[in-house]
Amino acid sequence: MTIGAIKQGLSGMTAYQKALDSSAHNVANASTENFKSQQVHFQELQEGGVIVNISKQAEQLKLDNDDTQTGSDTDLAKEIVNSLQYQRGFELSAQLIRRSDEMLDSLLKIR
């Protein structure tokens, strides 16, 4: 169980780090003309753990008069909230690894 929990924690840390990178990329390019922000989608693995899929938004933003918008489609408020969630997810995944390591250490000391 502890080895599986360590693998799940590691997959979570990897996924949340990629999500944080994507959010940072979106924020860094928020003032870039015609920038399409990346979208993060988490996917649960059958054997446990999680992976992240990152994609660009397919739709172009339109102004009320149907001219293509030249600004970025990045929502900074959304990116701040996402960054906080990804950071907490990373920390929880790291904590899972820490606790699993402690359990494994205790089991080895018993033997």
Side-chain angles (χ1 to χ4, degrees):
M1 176 180 155
T2 56
I3 299 296
I6 290 173
K7 286 181 181 179
Q8 290 173 4
L10 183 59
S11 76
M13 287 178 70
T14 302
Y16 283 113
Q17 181 61 53
K18 288 179 182 178
L20 275 167
D21 291 345
S22 174
S23 185
H25 175 73
N26 289 343
V27 170
N29 289 290
S31 61
T32 303
E33 287 192 30
N34 296 321
F35 176 74
K36 301 298 177 210
S37 61
Q38 296 177 342
Q39 301 299 306
V40 174
H41 306 280
F42 289 93
Q43 180 180 354
E44 183 179 350
L45 298 174
Q46 192 171 18
E47 64 273 6
V50 65
I51 61 171
V52 68
N53 297 309
I54 299 172
S55 61
K56 291 230 180 211
Q57 275 191 342
E59 294 182 25
Q60 288 187 330
L61 296 177
K62 299 283 185 177
L63 295 174
D64 291 337
N65 61 1
D66 269 344
D67 291 335
T68 303
Q69 184 171 344
T70 59
S72 169
D73 68 347
T74 302
D75 181 355
L76 292 176
K78 178 182 169 188
E79 292 301 332
I80 290 170
V81 171
N82 286 345
S83 292
L84 291 172
Q85 289 176 337
Y86 302 153
Q87 180 185 3
R88 296 299 177 255
F90 185 90
E91 291 170 355
L92 288 172
S93 296
Q95 199 170 42
L96 175 62
I97 291 173
R98 228 178 279 120
R99 298 297 175 242
S100 298
D101 181 52
E102 290 171 1
M103 289 174 56
L104 189 58
D105 186 49
S106 296
L107 287 172
L108 291 174
K109 286 180 181 177
I110 292 172
R111 292 194 104 207

